[in-house]
Amino acid sequence: MKNRTTLLVSFALCALVIALLTGLLGYHLGNTTPPTPSTEGKRPMITVDVDPDAAAAYFSTQELSNRVDSSIQYSGIANVCIQIGGETMKLEDAVRDNRITVDEICAYARLDATDGICRESFVTEHSLTRFIYRYDEFELIFLYDVYETPDGKQHLFKSLTICEPGGHETSSPSYMDDTAKYPTRLDREDWGLTLTASGATPTQLTIDTKQSGGQHFGDLVTEGYDIYSQDTGERIVPPRGYYIPEDFEPAHTILQNGESSFTIDWANVHGELPSGSYVLKLWINDVYDASTVHPLADNFHDTQTYYIEFTIP
């Protein structure tokens, strides 16, 4: 009987110790009681001002700090703050100062989804999955996945996006190649195309093309262009302030598996451009019959941009 009593006391003491440790741990995390579906229950305690006209903001890992391995971006919102220990600060500052990590924000959002404080969903495109956590005032979009691009390479992406509710439906992530001279997507398809300027005057540019193989499905057809100054990087705006469809006619279909050339004439659009160095940003479409594409083919882009440097003497 004595041994049984001792055993019961031991079990009681163990239960008490476990209860105390659980209480202390809950106090440390700031969650002594289960959260309720309210603003106070949100573990990250993030607040935003919804502003569709707000300029998008992007904070790279280098801008945040050497300790951070996730980028942060805002879209359709402003004044993004987080409350930690009773102190309110800009979210990007809190991450930069190591007051909280993107991984912790993600973990809290998942707990909120479990407790019914927010709703979790996901969107997968080309095997890359974004997880969306929808609160009443905003959405948190987490990306932590490997993206296999058309060149066969694999890229690990890790980012946090905060946007207005429903923002993930109208936004599509764009992953850029930081090593490229001009803005170039990492998931660019190789259309086997080389473009070079062979002659330029104040009113036109002749472009030589060479095409072989490629990952496109149909004909490669020019669509439109912009002209930039190489010296200032500024876009050369048409005198009327905008382009019209007729400014890009006639469209040119590039010769497949061979060499050809075509000329862009901007006399009626820009008049004469002064002497100097320029860059033509050219949009090219992959035009094809969708019914002829194999259902297992993974199509990344139907339109891509190409940059052609030229000089007007």
Side-chain angles (χ1 to χ4, degrees):
M1 188 71 174
K2 180 178 179 181
N3 291 339
R4 182 181 179 187
T5 302
T6 303
L7 186 61
L8 290 174
V9 171
S10 298
F11 274 125
L13 288 173
C14 288
L16 178 61
V17 170
I18 291 173
L20 289 173
L21 289 175
T22 302
L24 289 173
L25 180 59
Y27 179 81
H28 175 70
L29 294 176
N31 296 304
T32 54
T33 58
T36 57
S38 67
T39 300
E40 294 180 354
K42 284 188 245 178
R43 296 174 178 89
M45 293 303 293
I46 295 173
T47 60
V48 307
D49 293 333
V50 177
D51 184 1
D53 298 325
Y58 176 79
F59 305 93
S60 66
T61 56
Q62 292 79 11
E63 291 175 297
L64 292 172
S65 79
N66 293 330
R67 297 187 303 271
V68 178
D69 61 354
S70 301
S71 62
I72 298 176
Q73 49 192 329
Y74 307 143
S75 175
I77 56 174
N79 194 30
V80 183
C81 295
I82 186 168
Q83 183 177 355
I84 302 176
E87 181 182 357
T88 300
M89 65 198 77
K90 294 289 187 182
L91 185 140
E92 63 271 18
D93 291 340
V95 174
R96 183 184 295 113
D97 296 341
N98 205 31
R99 298 291 301 276
I100 194 169
T101 67
V102 170
D103 289 331
E104 287 175 317
I105 296 173
C106 180
Y108 290 142
R110 288 173 177 168
L111 290 172
D112 280 351
T114 300
D115 292 326
I117 298 171
C118 67
R119 298 189 301 275
E120 181 188 61
S121 61
F122 61 87
V123 176
T124 298
E125 184 177 9
H126 300 301
S127 76
L128 194 69
T129 300
R130 294 180 294 158
F131 288 90
I132 300 104
Y133 297 88
R134 172 77 176 266
Y135 292 86
D136 291 336
E137 304 89 354
F138 57 87
E139 287 182 349
L140 300 179
I141 305 174
F142 293 101
L143 174 61
Y144 187 38
D145 205 351
V146 175
Y147 193 24
E148 185 168 345
T149 48
D151 58 5
K153 296 180 180 179
Q154 294 183 334
H155 309 268
L156 175 63
F157 287 108
K158 188 175 181 182
S159 66
L160 164 65
T161 299
I162 306 179
C163 61
E164 74 279 11
H168 75 276
E169 299 175 357
T170 57
S171 65
S172 178
S174 178
Y175 310 107
M176 307 307 292
D177 183 357
D178 295 334
T179 65
K181 184 176 182 179
Y182 299 107
T184 303
R185 293 178 60 107
L186 273 175
D187 56 3
R188 179 187 186 89
E189 294 178 345
D190 180 6
W191 289 353
L193 186 59
T194 301
L195 303 174
T196 55
S198 61
T201 72
T203 60
Q204 64 182 29
L205 174 67
T206 299
I207 300 171
D208 292 339
T209 74
K210 183 177 181 181
Q211 199 284 326
S212 177
Q215 297 173 313
H216 55 293
F217 296 133
D219 293 328
L220 300 179
V221 182
T222 61
E223 178 187 23
Y225 63 86
D226 274 329
I227 302 175
Y228 294 85
S229 167
Q230 282 198 54
D231 296 328
T232 65
E234 294 181 354
R235 177 173 172 262
I236 308 300
V237 181
R240 74 167 78 94
Y242 55 89
Y243 288 107
I244 58 177
E246 289 77 11
D247 295 336
F248 306 122
E249 296 177 354
H252 176 75
T253 300
I254 295 171
L255 178 66
Q256 303 270 14
N257 295 309
E259 299 181 9
S260 62
S261 64
F262 65 97
T263 298
I264 294 177
D265 190 322
W266 56 72
N268 294 330
V269 185
H270 294 280
E272 293 190 1
L273 296 181
S275 299
S277 298
Y278 298 90
V279 177
L280 183 90
K281 180 181 181 181
L282 180 66
W283 279 267
I284 297 180
N285 291 331
D286 182 8
V287 181
Y288 58 93
D289 181 355
S291 65
T292 63
V293 177
H294 193 282
L296 296 181
D298 199 1
N299 182 28
F300 284 76
H301 301 291
D302 288 334
T303 302
Q304 297 191 146
T305 55
Y306 291 81
Y307 296 87
I308 305 151
E309 297 179 346
F310 66 96
T311 300
I312 296 178

